[in-house]
Amino acid sequence: MDLLLPRRCAGCASPGAHLCPRCRQTLRNPPRRIHTRVDPHVPVWSLGPYAGTHRRVVLSMKERRNLAVRRLLGPVLAASVTHLQARGELADALVLVPAPTRAASARVRGGDPVADVCAATGLEVCDALRHDRSVGDQVGLGVEGRRRNLAGALELRRRPGGRVLLVDDVATTGSTLAASSETLFAAGCDVVGALVMCHA
Ligand SMILES: [Zn+2]
């Protein structure tokens, strides 16, 4: 495809690289603690607001089979985990658990973007959660609607063997993270936090 389309930065559309040095610098900012309207029962950190570079990069990684950007975001996510570990806010040994994606979205996007980014971190990943019934799109739903849409909708497909850090692309109300942590806690798993690429 590179022969047909000029390569453009996922963050600012400047030609040349999948992610230009300036956008990489922006994404390298330390993650910060955020508070969502629905409480996921664990601390949540975000790489940045759902705006500007962060928003464009997340939209770009969701494009169908945009594996190049997903691979580049792996080290960005890994650096944030290392940063939180260095600050003493996260334990050293962690298993990343990607928040589940609706099967229909994954088909449209050519795989699950969040799972692909997690796989590119080089850290241990467990694909622990899935939707156990058809779940409607969360877009356009309010806090209560999102909570009801997801209630009892997740199931454990395999058990992570260690302390869990949940990972998602965008935290809006926190309902996906809450449903994920509740499912893992109910199965006796040790969830210690959640890391998102953006918060809306
Ligand atoms: Zn850029």
Side-chain angles (χ1 to χ4, degrees):
M1 283 305 279
D2 284 345
L3 296 173
L4 304 172
L5 295 170
R7 201 179 277 180
R8 290 188 175 281
C9 170
C12 66
S14 68
H18 289 298
L19 207 52
C20 76
R22 231 183 65 199
C23 289
R24 276 175 202 254
Q25 190 60 48
T26 306
L27 292 174
R28 213 177 289 147
N29 291 338
R32 66 182 188 86
R33 186 82 188 270
I34 59 161
H35 295 277
T36 52
R37 274 179 286 168
V38 178
D39 179 12
H41 320 292
V42 290
V44 183
W45 294 274
S46 170
L47 271 58
Y50 189 56
T53 304
H54 287 83
R55 176 170 174 275
R56 285 189 294 268
V57 167
V58 163
L59 289 174
S60 171
M61 82 165 192
K62 287 182 167 186
E63 284 167 8
R64 186 166 177 79
R65 298 193 201 290
N66 197 343
L67 299 181
V69 170
R70 294 175 200 173
R71 271 195 295 268
L72 285 169
L73 288 175
V76 170
L77 197 72
S80 294
V81 172
T82 306
H83 190 98
L84 291 167
Q85 287 170 329
R87 281 196 329 219
E89 295 183 62
L90 274 180
D92 280 342
L94 290 171
V95 183
L96 305 186
V97 171
T101 308
R102 294 184 312 134
S105 315
R107 273 195 300 277
V108 172
R109 288 167 184 162
D112 176 354
V114 175
D116 286 345
V117 172
C118 286
T121 58
L123 301 169
E124 192 183 341
V125 182
C126 178
D127 195 5
L129 297 167
R130 71 167 164 215
H131 290 123
D132 69 347
R133 60 172 168 77
S134 134
V135 173
D137 197 329
Q138 296 279 84
V139 173
L141 297 176
V143 175
E144 259 318 299
R146 282 172 184 245
R147 207 206 296 255
R148 243 178 291 130
N149 189 33
L150 282 173
L154 304 187
E155 69 175 11
L156 199 70
R157 82 206 296 196
R158 61 180 65 90
R159 212 188 142 76
R163 293 191 186 94
V164 170
L165 179 66
L166 284 167
V167 178
D168 205 357
D169 48 6
V170 186
T172 307
T173 62
S175 48
T176 302
L177 294 176
S180 300
S181 72
E182 282 161 15
T183 305
L184 290 162
F185 279 132
C189 302
D190 185 12
V191 188
V192 294
L195 181 60
V196 296
M197 291 172 215
C198 300
H199 60 283

